[in-house]
Amino acid sequence: MTKYIVVSGGVVSGIGKGVIASSTGLLLKTTGLKVTAIKIDPYMNIDAGTMRPQEHGEVYVLNDGGEVDLDLGNYERYLNVTLSRDNNITTGKIYKEVIEKERKGDYLGKTVQIVPHVTNEIQDWIERVSKIPVDETGEEPDICIVELGGTVGDIESAPFVEAMRQFQFRVGHENFALIHVSLVPDMHGEQKTKPTQTTVHSLRGLGLLPDLIACRLLVPQPLRPDTKSKISMFCHVAAEQVFGVHDVSSVYHVPLLLQSQGIVEYLTKRLNLESVRVADEMVDGGLSLSKRWRKMTSQSERAFDTVNIALVGKYTDLKDSYMSVTKSLEHSAFRVNRKLTVHWVESSDLEAETQESAPARYHDAWRAVVGAGGILVPGGFGNRGIEGMLLAIKYAREQGIPYLGICLGFQLAVIEWSRNVLNIPDATSTEFDQETKSPAIIFMPEISKTHMGGTMRLGLRPTVFEEGTETWSKVRKLYGGAGKIWERHRHRYEVNPDWVEKLSASGLPFVGKDEKGERMQVLELRDHPFFLGLQAHPEFCTRPLNPSPPFLGFVAAASGSGVLQEQIEHQLQQFVPPHPEDSMVGEAELRNGHPVAYGKDHVLINGSASAS
């Protein structure tokens, strides 16, 4: 029987439920258990695909093309699992399912209501998805972490809270535990408990009793014993059920913080985890994971040298817009034993107009770019700030500064080359100018022009390296020298096929293409310390203990040529793709609805899980 751990939040949203949920899952995985995760988002959207990054943070893309909440990225990174779009539940998805069933007559003429029909749909969804294998074992998970987004007491989350109240009886007391995350404000050194008392009171009034209360402190000082005792007394839990989560130097220390307070021992007793049969090799794997995680965190604390990266983007006012990008940089910095410093540069601040309107911002932005060891241009949409990005790319190319362009950054590298090397000054993308006479980047022919949600080129796709690149291509060596690689995509535009010949002839090598050789997917300058662009989003497949190869190469190059060569040699010997073996298939299989196997009893077909 699968064990369920629900993580809810009170007082305010955005206080770290995702990191606490992921950390709890990681700790259970170190004991040898198989762990999966589900995120519930109470908004009405079907998925996160049409949301502005400033609205809800990064849109995270899965192997099956699902556009989901950024917390699923936390789960995949911490737990080293591969999730599907069904692991992200939204109100929109649930209502869509219920309405479709009503239209089919599945409810046999009954009045369709929030209770029981919507709440049953939520419970059925969780129970079904929790059984799907997500790791290399191909077996059903032992534990399912369910993060309930938003804040307890919100109108929009009420059906999900009620569903969880019912679910605890459906699966039984021994198979259901609740962690409630609450804010403990620190006011001039005094830790206030009243917000936690109030939110726990609300939770109990809704029929849910917390097994553990995670007290989030937004300061470096830990939860004091007297505060812990007070929360224990007024929230009707034992002292061992209250633990503190204060600010630490890195989120990767949070699992160790929770472990030191006995969370594993408590959950083992509360959920009777000793009754779960765990194979010896899984126990050994868990011990190895724990050892490597501790080594990673301790090494990062002892890092002395710094690597400076300028991230030139459009959504820098909300750092969560680039969550996976920053995580990829962090993981790579861990590997090369450097302290990471990211300089956030709003791309429009690099443009001439800003020099006139806000000269201080202009000079600060250029100071960050010129002083960086590496320049990164991530993905984005629309024409705002494009000229600033092009100026940063030109500077990196001409001055020999390591450069990494992701999606939009890849396309802009092509445009910059077209303008300044091919001398086509009006070269641009049809995304920015539909009437342009010099379209270096064009709209992909198969993409819908009327619908935005879920219509891009999405999900895990293969890239084939060109013959002859094995001798010189740094990025190919960073992928272990493989002739074919897989990364996740999310784009509507591509390099104009009619321009490829003249771009290549002028010295811009496209070292990676799709299987037909028609789509340009990787560019790399040969006589440059490190100049790389990828149409895909490799940041979505990074892992703390297995950094994304392009990001690893980029950070290593920004740290010094010797560091890059060292990592290339390591990758040639040690690199292992983070994807399940059965997911690395060709474009033809993807178009034909190839079932991506996650285990002998379950498959994923076109993004929907089902029993085989």
Side-chain angles (χ1 to χ4, degrees):
M1 178 72 183
T2 304
K3 310 283 187 178
Y4 297 88
I5 300 173
V6 176
V7 180
S8 61
V11 186
V12 293
S13 61
I15 57 173
K17 293 191 301 296
V19 172
I20 291 171
S22 302
S23 299
T24 303
L26 173 72
L27 290 173
L28 293 170
K29 193 158 185 172
T30 63
T31 67
L33 295 165
K34 300 180 290 293
V35 183
T36 187
I38 294 172
K39 173 67 188 295
I40 296 174
D41 284 304
Y43 48 68
M44 284 296 298
N45 304 60
I46 296 293
D47 59 33
T50 56
M51 290 185 178
R52 293 168 60 243
Q54 295 101 322
E55 182 81 20
H56 203 69
E58 169 188 83
V59 177
Y60 188 77
V61 178
L62 301 169
N63 276 6
D64 65 358
E67 297 173 288
V68 296
D69 184 81
L70 57 81
D71 276 318
L72 271 78
N74 278 329
Y75 306 153
E76 287 202 334
R77 288 187 287 267
Y78 275 72
L79 305 177
N80 193 26
V81 294
T82 300
L83 304 176
S84 76
R85 70 183 72 201
D86 285 350
N87 289 80
N88 191 192
I89 303 175
T90 69
T91 298
K93 285 182 181 179
I94 294 295
Y95 278 39
K96 186 169 181 280
E97 286 290 315
V98 170
I99 290 168
E100 285 182 358
K101 286 182 179 179
E102 186 274 331
R103 291 290 84 186
K104 291 178 186 174
D106 289 359
Y107 297 120
L108 300 175
K110 291 183 178 179
T111 302
V112 180
Q113 297 175 291
I114 301 297
V115 180
H117 302 101
V118 170
T119 53
N120 282 348
E121 185 65 38
I122 294 167
Q123 294 175 75
D124 293 345
W125 192 304
I126 290 172
E127 207 162 14
R128 171 173 57 84
V129 175
S130 69
K131 310 289 186 191
I132 301 172
V134 293
D135 59 22
E136 68 281 358
T137 66
E139 299 173 358
E140 286 189 13
D142 304 308
I143 305 284
C144 178
I145 310 285
V146 181
E147 181 190 345
L148 176 55
T151 306
V152 169
D154 291 346
I155 292 174
E156 60 183 7
S157 64
F160 295 100
V161 173
E162 171 60 21
M164 292 301 96
R165 185 194 69 77
Q166 297 174 22
F167 193 64
Q168 64 186 324
F169 301 112
R170 180 191 284 206
V171 299
H173 180 73
E174 197 176 80
N175 299 314
F176 182 95
L178 174 64
I179 300 175
H180 190 62
V181 184
S182 178
L183 179 68
V184 175
D186 188 297
M187 298 181 68
H188 311 293
E190 183 183 359
Q191 295 176 352
K192 294 291 188 179
T193 65
K194 189 62 71 176
T196 299
Q197 295 178 43
T198 302
T199 185
V200 170
H201 179 76
S202 298
L203 189 68
R204 291 168 64 84
L206 295 168
L208 287 170
L209 310 180
D211 294 288
L212 289 167
I213 300 175
C215 300
R216 182 75 179 92
L217 296 103
L218 305 180
V219 291
Q221 287 72 40
L223 188 72
R224 291 202 305 263
D226 59 316
T227 309
K228 186 174 184 177
S229 298
K230 191 172 182 181
I231 290 172
S232 167
M233 179 188 301
F234 286 103
C235 295
H236 199 65
V237 294
E240 66 170 354
Q241 294 172 262
V242 181
F243 57 95
V245 186
H246 58 272
D247 282 353
V248 288
S249 58
S250 162
V251 292
Y252 305 103
H253 286 80
V254 174
L256 308 181
L257 178 63
L258 299 183
Q259 187 178 44
S260 68
Q261 297 177 73
I263 188 173
V264 174
E265 291 78 8
Y266 178 82
L267 289 173
T268 299
K269 179 175 65 176
R270 170 65 179 78
L271 296 172
N272 191 20
L273 296 180
E274 290 181 349
S275 66
V276 180
R277 295 180 59 185
V278 181
D280 291 341
E281 59 267 27
M282 294 297 291
V283 174
D284 294 340
L287 292 172
S288 172
L289 172 61
S290 178
K291 183 178 179 181
R292 287 182 293 133
W293 193 276
R294 285 183 176 276
K295 180 181 178 183
M296 177 191 74
T297 53
S298 63
Q299 280 185 343
S300 69
E301 287 296 299
R302 294 197 299 267
F304 179 75
D305 295 324
T306 299
V307 57
N308 292 291
I309 303 298
L311 191 155
V312 183
K314 298 160 63 88
Y315 317 118
T316 55
D317 51 338
L318 181 65
K319 306 296 188 287
D320 279 0
S321 302
Y322 300 114
M323 174 75 80
S324 291
V325 170
T326 54
K327 295 305 177 189
S328 299
L329 293 171
E330 288 175 5
H331 303 164
S332 301
F334 291 159
R335 173 70 69 81
V336 301
N337 199 29
R338 294 291 192 278
K339 283 190 179 296
L340 174 69
T341 301
V342 177
H343 300 280
W344 299 86
V345 180
E346 179 64 36
S347 57
S348 57
D349 288 349
L350 298 171
E351 298 172 359
E353 289 82 355
T354 307
Q355 187 176 14
E356 297 292 327
S357 60
R361 285 213 321 265
Y362 174 82
H363 290 296
D364 286 346
W366 272 109
R367 191 178 297 114
V369 169
V370 172
I375 297 171
L376 189 154
V377 176
F381 298 94
N383 60 5
R384 181 180 61 82
I386 293 302
E387 295 303 320
M389 293 180 184
L390 289 168
L391 290 169
I393 295 168
K394 183 174 186 285
Y395 178 82
R397 180 178 62 80
E398 293 181 343
Q399 301 301 318
I401 307 299
Y403 171 76
L404 178 61
I406 302 298
C407 195
L408 177 63
F410 162 80
Q411 296 172 4
L412 291 179
V414 174
I415 293 172
E416 189 279 325
W417 183 276
S418 302
R419 290 184 181 184
N420 299 308
V421 178
L422 283 178
N423 295 315
I424 307 174
D426 61 341
T428 188
S429 167
T430 55
E431 179 180 7
F432 315 138
D433 181 3
Q434 294 184 7
E435 306 302 323
T436 179
K437 295 180 180 178
S438 302
I441 307 296
I442 62 170
F443 195 83
M444 295 170 63
E446 71 271 31
I447 303 299
S448 171
K449 293 187 177 182
T450 58
H451 286 65
M452 293 186 71
T455 59
M456 287 185 272
R457 187 168 188 250
L458 293 163
L460 197 68
R461 306 276 179 166
T463 293
V464 180
F465 283 112
E466 294 288 277
E467 287 187 18
T469 55
E470 65 274 7
T471 60
W472 66 270
S473 171
K474 300 180 189 72
V475 67
R476 181 167 180 176
K477 292 175 182 177
L478 288 163
Y479 279 100
K484 184 185 284 192
I485 60 170
W486 280 261
E487 291 289 3
R488 296 173 182 175
H489 287 248
R490 184 177 187 250
H491 61 104
R492 290 189 179 91
Y493 294 82
E494 64 177 344
V495 177
N496 188 343
D498 296 336
W499 283 47
V500 171
E501 187 176 341
K502 61 184 175 186
L503 287 165
S504 300
S506 66
L508 184 66
F510 292 102
V511 298
K513 303 178 181 178
D514 71 348
E515 289 175 312
K516 291 184 177 180
E518 297 171 351
R519 288 208 161 107
M520 305 303 107
Q521 299 192 162
V522 183
L523 68 81
E524 179 181 6
L525 293 185
R526 187 166 186 163
D527 299 319
H528 191 285
F530 192 90
F531 192 98
L532 176 65
L534 295 97
Q535 182 62 79
H537 287 268
E539 69 269 24
F540 293 142
C541 297
T542 188
R543 301 287 187 268
L545 300 171
N546 187 15
S548 166
F551 281 88
L552 176 60
F554 171 63
V555 172
S559 303
S561 58
V563 180
L564 174 59
Q565 190 54 43
E566 179 183 309
Q567 292 304 319
I568 284 175
E569 291 170 5
H570 179 274
Q571 290 291 98
L572 284 169
Q573 299 296 322
Q574 303 289 336
F575 176 67
V576 177
H579 318 296
E581 200 67 42
D582 291 325
S583 68
M584 295 187 286
V585 298
E587 292 270 7
E589 290 96 323
L590 289 168
R591 281 194 296 270
N592 292 330
H594 172 82
V596 181
Y598 284 90
K600 61 178 183 286
D601 298 319
H602 297 82
V603 295
L604 190 71
I605 301 176
N606 293 331
S608 297
S610 62
S612 61

